[in-house]
Amino acid sequence: MTSAVSRGRASLRDVALYYSRNAAAVDLSDNTNRWGVPPAAAAALRGAHRAMRYPEPYAQSLKEVIAEYLDVDANCVTTGCGSDGVLDSAIRAFADAGDRIAIAQPTFPMTEVFARVNGLVPLSIPLTDGYDLDVEGMLAGAPRLAYVCAPNNPTGTCVTRARIEALARGLDGVLIVDEAYADFAESSCLDLARSQPNVLVVRTMSKAFGLAGARVGFAVGQAALVREVEKSRGPFRVSVSGAAAATAALRHDLPWVRSRAMDAIAVRERLIRELQVRGLTPLPSAANFVFVPVAGAMALAKVMEANGVSVRAFRGLAPVSPALAASNGEALRITCAPWPEIELALAALDAARAEAACT
Ligand SMILES: *Cc1c(COP(=O)(O)O)cnc(C)c1O
C-alpha cells in the first residue's frame, strides 16, 4: 500500500521522471554542441578555484556580461540553473496554483512538467498546419501564461513574428518565448522583451554555446518582470563553475560559437537535402537539428542506436500537419554535428529503413 507520504502532492501524480539516456557513441539526440566546449569556457572550468565560497546570490557579474552581450540593462536580465531553471522560476513567478498556461504544441516537454510541478493547468494548443501559432486558440482559455518556443523544439520551425506580437498584445498575462535555438535562426524576439511589459525571452548556454553540463540559462524582460522571476528563482542558482564558464564564453568565445553555429547551419541544409534524396520529408529548420516525420520512427531509432547512432524519436505527436498525420505522429529529430557523424547517422538510417522494409 502506498503511504500518504510516498504518494506525494496531487499535482505530481501525472509527472514522470525525465527519461534516463543511454546514448550511443555518436549522440545526435539532444541538440547539444557536437563540436565541443568553446576554448575560453573550457579553461575557466579547469580554473574554477573559488568553489569553497558561495557564488553571487543572483549571479550579478554574469548578468552584467549577458547585458553587455545583448545590449540591455543588467536589471533586465535573470539567470538560472539552465534555461530549465529559468522556465520553472518564471512559471512560478507569474501564476498561482490552479492558473492556466497555454502551451503551443508539439514543443519542448519540460514546460508542461514545470507547469504541473507548480500546480498550473497546462492547456495544449496545437500549432496550425503550417506550424504557426493559433493565436485565438492560445488566448481562448484566458491563460495567465503562454509559452512559445521559437525556433521550436522538436519541429525546428518558426512561428511568424506578427502572431507572436498579437499573442503578447492579447494576453492578460506573461508570454514566455523560449529562444534556446536563436543562435541558429535569423530572427529573435529580444526586441519585444525590451519593448513589451509582458514578454520574457529565455536563452541558454546549453546549445550553441556548448555548455549543457555547466547548467546556465538566462532571460531578458523589463526590469519589473525580471524582478519577479528573481524572487521566485531564489539565490545561488548558478554555480561558481557555471558562472565562470558562461562568463568566459560570452567574453572570449563568441567568434568560436558563431563559427560553429554557421557550421551547424551548413550541415543542417545538407542533411535536409540528403533526407529528401531518400524520399523523406524533413521540415525546414531554423535550429541545429532536423525534424523528419516518418512512420515507424521509434523502431528506426532503435535500430540506428544498435548501429552506434542515437537520434531522438517521437510518437504520439499532435498530427498538426499532413506530414505528421501521415506518419501517425511519429518523427525523428537529428542533431547537426560534424559531417562525418552525419554520414554515420545516414548510413544507420539507411540500414534501419532497409531492415524495416524487410519485416
Ligand atoms: C534544450 C532546451 C532547453 C533546456 O536547456 P537548459 O538550458 O539546458 O536547461 C530549453 N528549451 C528548449 C526548447 C530546449 O530545447
Side-chain angles (χ1 to χ4, degrees), residues 30-31 81-85 87 108 147 149 153 178 180-181 203-207 212 215-217:
D30 66 5
N31 305 335
C81 176
S83 54
D84 278 359
L87 290 169
F108 183 56
Y147 171 87
C149 185
N153 178 8
D178 187 338
Y181 301 98
R203 296 272 185 103
T204 180
M205 300 301 288
S206 296
K207 306 291 159 64
R215 310 304 305 128
V216 181

